[in-house]
Amino acid sequence: MQTRWKVPPEKVEKAMDEVEKYIMTRQYKYVFCPETTDDEKKDLAVQKRIRALHWVTPQMLCVPVSEEIPEVSDMVVKAITDIIEMDSKRVPRDKLACITKCSKHIFNAIKITKNEPASADDFLPTLIYIVLKGNPPRLQSNIQYITRFCNPSRLMTGEDGYYFTNLCCAVAFIEKLDAQSLNLSQEDFDRFMTGQTSPKKQESDSFSPDVCLGVKQMCKSLDLLSQLNERQERIVSEAKKLEKDLIDWTDGITKEVEDIVEKYPLEIKPKSQALAAIDSENVENDKLPPPLQPQVYAG
């Protein structure tokens, strides 16, 4: 297309995207996670690894995101949804788009939390946290599928390629994560991995030994009530906003209807009297001349 018909590069790129979309949609079940590869085995290993690391907290990864802020919490949920949605797409470009949307939500969450633009050093730990929290299905298979069949120019240039490279780095970090990576002692790391204890349990045990069990339970209950109160206030605020939007929408529709009626008034005309049939008897209003009588002429 470029050498023979001198087609502009942007049109060639668009044509390649359409060809890729058609071919990969038709061949998806044959080329995604084929039996000739060990993609499925890697998927199970990564999923098992992520489940074993469920105890990792944002503080351990130095994640600059505060999920206590409602808007940030929404961004985190959207990022997790996008990275999970990647598995439902068939076209490599669409899978890349899910990674890009996830990454942009992460950048927005960091920006809101820090009140300043996010940096690359902030992005990667947060992406690792999102992957750990979301545990996307068939993660390795999706990465291999994109690597094998995506347009190479997308992976080597642009924001799609940048975000995809960071996702690969995040998965590699998770596979090799150890005590030193989280600034933990090997003993604590082993206890967390085996489930003997968890960081959250240690935080709850930070009370003084003299404090009775009832006081500890009361503090936990107060903390839970505080969180529930924040959620309730948020729901009430959203409900009021929804109510206002519905009222504004109703008023807008009413005004549009009134304007149309005013511009094109409806005139109801009286029902016109039906015309009598030609062969019906019309004695009262019959003003027609009498019928012609045949004339007889003598020959």
Side-chain angles (χ1 to χ4, degrees), residues 20-204:
E20 174 190 289
K21 181 177 181 180
Y22 175 77
I23 293 177
M24 301 316 300
T25 301
R26 297 293 299 271
Q27 300 296 322
Y28 183 76
K29 62 180 180 180
Y30 303 110
V31 298
F32 182 84
C33 191
E35 296 180 356
T36 55
T37 65
D38 59 348
D39 293 348
E40 185 176 0
K41 183 179 180 181
K42 291 180 179 179
D43 287 336
L44 295 175
V46 171
Q47 273 199 335
K48 183 178 179 182
R49 177 70 172 173
I50 292 176
R51 284 197 297 266
L53 293 169
H54 69 278
W55 49 268
V56 176
T57 63
Q59 293 75 21
M60 293 179 180
L61 296 170
C62 298
V63 175
V65 168
S66 176
E67 294 186 67
E68 296 179 358
I69 303 174
E71 193 173 357
V72 174
S73 179
D74 288 342
M75 292 294 175
V76 171
V77 172
K78 289 178 180 178
I80 294 174
T81 303
D82 289 332
I83 198 67
I84 292 176
E85 188 181 1
M86 174 179 62
D87 186 58
S88 65
K89 304 298 182 182
R90 293 194 171 192
V91 184
R93 181 185 57 179
D94 294 341
K95 291 182 182 290
L96 273 181
C98 291
I99 299 173
T100 300
K101 288 193 295 182
C102 168
S103 302
K104 289 183 176 180
H105 287 313
I106 291 174
F107 272 107
N108 289 334
I110 297 173
K111 182 179 180 181
I112 295 171
T113 302
K114 300 181 65 177
N115 200 20
E116 63 181 22
S119 64
D121 294 334
D122 297 329
F123 170 67
L124 184 57
T126 311
L127 179 60
I128 293 170
Y129 174 67
I130 293 296
V131 173
L132 287 174
K133 196 167 183 179
N135 196 1
R138 302 192 291 185
L139 184 55
Q140 281 288 4
S141 291
N142 282 287
I143 290 176
Q144 294 299 326
Y145 178 77
I146 294 172
T147 304
R148 291 166 185 156
F149 301 108
C150 186
N151 187 344
S153 62
R154 288 188 177 275
L155 297 182
M156 293 185 292
T157 59
E159 62 177 5
D160 288 342
Y162 172 76
Y163 295 138
F164 178 71
T165 302
N166 276 272
L167 177 62
C168 295
C169 294
V171 175
F173 178 85
I174 291 172
E175 291 176 336
K176 298 179 181 179
L177 189 144
D178 55 12
Q180 186 177 0
S181 303
L182 301 175
N183 294 321
L184 296 173
S185 64
Q186 189 62 43
E187 181 183 356
D188 288 341
F189 182 83
D190 293 339
R191 286 192 294 117
F192 294 156
M193 289 294 290
T194 56
Q196 295 179 5
T197 184
S198 68
K200 295 181 180 179
K201 184 176 180 181
Q202 287 188 340
E203 291 176 3
S204 64

Side-chain angles (χ1 to χ4, degrees), residues 196-247:
Q196 295 179 5
T197 184
S198 68
K200 295 181 180 179
K201 184 176 180 181
Q202 287 188 340
E203 291 176 3
S204 64
D205 292 341
S206 60
F207 293 98
S208 172
D210 298 332
V211 177
C212 66
L213 182 62
V215 174
K216 294 181 181 179
Q217 188 64 39
M218 181 185 66
C219 292
K220 292 180 182 179
S221 300
L222 289 174
D223 184 46
L224 180 59
L225 286 174
S226 177
Q227 296 178 14
L228 292 175
N229 185 46
E230 291 178 1
R231 292 186 180 183
Q232 183 182 12
E233 290 177 355
R234 181 180 168 192
I235 292 173
V236 171
S237 175
E238 293 293 333
K240 290 181 178 178
K241 182 177 180 299
L242 178 60
E243 182 182 9
K244 183 179 180 302
D245 292 342
L246 289 174
I247 294 173

